[in-house]
Amino acid sequence: MKILYHHRIGSRDGQAVHLEELIGALRDLGHEVCLVGPESFARASFGHEPQLIGIMKKCVPKFIYELLEIGYNVPAFLRLTRTGRAFGPDIVYERYNLYLLAGIWFRRFRGIPLLLEVNAPLARERASFGGLGLGMLARALERSVWRNADAVLPVTGVLADEVRAAGVPDARITVIPNGTDVENFTGRDPGLAKSAFGLEGKLVVGFTGFVRDWHGLERVLTLLTTDEIPHNLHFMIVGDGPAIPALTTLATELGVADRVTFAGLVTRDRLADHVSAFDIALLPKCVEYCSPLKLFEYMAAGKAILAPDQPNIREILQDGASGLLFPPDDDAGVKSAVIRLASDETLRARLGATARSEIAQRGLTWRNNAVRVASLGTAAAQRKRTRAA
């Protein structure tokens, strides 16, 4: 099958990981995939954030910036049309973005089925975290794009409920969560990993990802000062972000800087080495509709996971079986869970082993996701041929 993958990603972050892993898995299955998106994406290195876009978001009034986003659809549609004419796709697979209409236009113009991957209700998300200048228009266009896709692929059941509430029938909704590459996160020696990072004899609590203030990682730094916590407990933060300077300062102020490793931004090929050094893998906080990429990587590595007890996490983890869940925003709950895991090696091993087995049993891999996408694409293309006949 020939798949035209359309996106509007500008930065090399978790979004790019999802894109590249899924495309790689589809190609491994024998499908042809042609990627269409911003030219800057191909040139960007991992962790890159487009500076011009950041400046515009800060300096340009929101409604003007959003009008520019809408205007982007003209060159995007022309790129899709030009590429589609040369490539001859069977389906279009698009990663949904707010105000991105080019895929729907292309579907109507060429009659090619569109599969829409939805990772967040972006109109609501941006209204909550960054603000919207054209809120009513954003919500209306979001609903229209979702309704006009041949298949909508939300990453969680929680998000599927929002898609359903927007008027998309159940028959066109398929939940496909994030996945992982199991081979990349298995077969590594935790002892060697700890030795490589100078953490021999340490009990490591680890976090990976882009570090923001709302993650609440300062709670773990504070925990390191309490008598109930083992003195060999060490916190490793793998990633960069706006919260790092404040965390670095706080670690010094609390007198625990020697018990914290700020590993900084690491490339994808080195991430698994860092995760291998973890004894406890932390997901401190997440929005209620997301499918956290780090969660699947922790599971594949066989780590004991601490995560907030909320519906989207319970879609993946079972409390006490494949992870340990704590009440969201509950400092005491986090502390209790860390103490419990830190003092019980058997529990850590059992949780990690169950989490790893869940990956295989439930097919939480990029390859399995690619199989499901290809199946949905084949069915959509067949329906198109039937209608044409």
Side-chain angles (χ1 to χ4, degrees):
M1 184 166 57
K2 302 180 80 171
I3 303 168
L4 189 61
Y5 191 118
H6 183 231
H7 72 97
R8 202 192 72 190
I9 300 173
S11 56
R12 290 274 179 171
D13 51 15
Q15 301 176 84
V17 172
H18 190 151
L19 179 153
E20 291 168 349
E21 293 284 1
L22 181 59
I23 288 178
L26 286 166
R27 287 173 174 163
D28 287 345
L29 292 172
H31 303 290
E32 291 184 63
V33 184
C34 181
L35 183 64
V36 181
E39 295 179 1
S40 59
F41 178 80
R43 300 190 300 267
S45 57
F46 187 71
H48 169 76
E49 291 277 351
Q51 292 185 348
L52 179 59
I53 298 297
I55 292 171
M56 290 177 64
K57 285 181 178 180
K58 292 180 180 179
C59 301
V60 176
K62 288 183 174 59
F63 79 94
I64 294 179
Y65 180 81
E66 291 163 36
L67 289 174
L68 292 173
E69 287 185 279
I70 295 172
Y72 168 85
N73 286 289
V74 175
F77 175 70
L78 293 176
R79 274 200 303 269
L80 270 175
T81 301
R82 182 171 60 251
T83 306
R85 187 181 297 118
F87 182 60
D90 298 300
I91 65 167
V92 176
Y93 185 96
E94 183 174 85
R95 183 184 174 96
Y96 167 69
N97 212 318
L98 193 61
Y99 295 122
L100 186 57
L101 311 173
I104 292 296
W105 293 354
F106 183 76
R107 174 188 179 275
R108 291 178 179 174
F109 179 69
R110 291 290 302 273
I112 297 174
L114 173 70
L115 275 61
L116 187 71
E117 173 195 309
V118 179
N119 292 271
L122 290 175
R124 176 163 72 85
E125 183 176 272
R126 279 178 53 174
S128 299
F129 295 105
L132 278 173
L134 302 171
M136 291 182 63
L137 178 62
R139 289 186 289 272
L141 290 177
E142 181 169 81
R143 290 192 298 268
S144 177
V145 170
W146 291 357
R147 290 172 183 170
N148 282 284
D150 293 87
V152 182
L153 316 179
V155 292
T156 63
V158 174
L159 187 51
D161 290 339
E162 295 209 29
V163 172
R164 193 175 294 111
V168 180
D170 282 340
R172 286 197 276 125
I173 300 174
T174 301
V175 176
I176 300 182
N178 271 321
T180 187
D181 176 5
V182 176
E183 292 182 1
N184 188 39
F185 285 89
T186 56
R188 297 171 186 270
D189 186 332
L192 290 177
K194 288 185 179 182
S195 178
F197 302 123
L199 300 176
E200 300 96 330
K202 303 294 185 182
L203 185 67
V204 181
V205 177
F207 168 88
T208 67
F210 192 68
V211 188
R212 301 184 185 276
D213 292 334
W214 56 263
H215 278 126
L217 295 183
E218 67 278 357
R219 292 185 296 184
V220 181
L221 298 183
T222 303
L223 277 180
L224 296 176
T225 67
T226 62
D227 293 334
E228 300 98 316
I229 296 295
H231 292 298
N232 68 333
L233 194 74
H234 192 90
F235 189 26
M236 174 184 275
I237 301 174
V238 183
D240 203 352
I244 290 294
L247 290 171
T248 303
T249 300
L250 179 61
T252 300
E253 292 175 348
L254 294 174
V256 296
D258 60 333
R259 299 175 66 185
V260 183
T261 296
F262 293 95
L265 185 68
V266 302
T267 56
R268 290 292 297 170
D269 59 329
R270 295 184 57 226
L271 177 63
D273 291 327
H274 289 74
V275 175
S276 179
F278 296 177
D279 295 288
I280 301 169
L282 179 64
L283 176 66
K285 196 170 184 179
C286 65
V287 292
E288 73 277 11
Y289 45 76
C290 74
S291 178
L293 181 61
K294 62 173 66 66
L295 181 62
F296 301 91
E297 295 170 342
Y298 293 164
M299 293 173 73
K303 299 303 174 182
I305 301 170
L306 282 180
D309 188 2
Q310 54 193 60
N312 59 328
I313 301 303
R314 289 197 299 272
E315 291 179 27
I316 305 300
L317 294 180
Q318 182 180 351
D319 187 26
S322 51
L324 209 58
L325 306 184
F326 56 84
D329 299 315
D330 182 357
D331 289 355
V334 175
K335 178 179 179 179
S336 174
V338 170
I339 292 173
R340 181 182 175 189
L341 280 180
S343 60
D344 193 336
E345 183 178 357
T346 302
L347 175 61
R348 295 198 303 272
R350 178 172 62 79
L351 293 176
T354 303
R356 178 182 287 162
S357 67
E358 285 283 297
I359 293 288
Q361 291 173 13
R362 298 175 56 187
L364 300 173
T365 65
W366 294 118
R367 181 179 178 84
N368 189 64
N369 285 2
V371 169
R372 298 180 69 191
V373 166
S375 177
L376 290 167
T378 299
Q382 181 59 48
R383 286 193 297 270
K384 177 205 168 186
R385 288 192 290 268
T386 301
R387 287 195 299 268

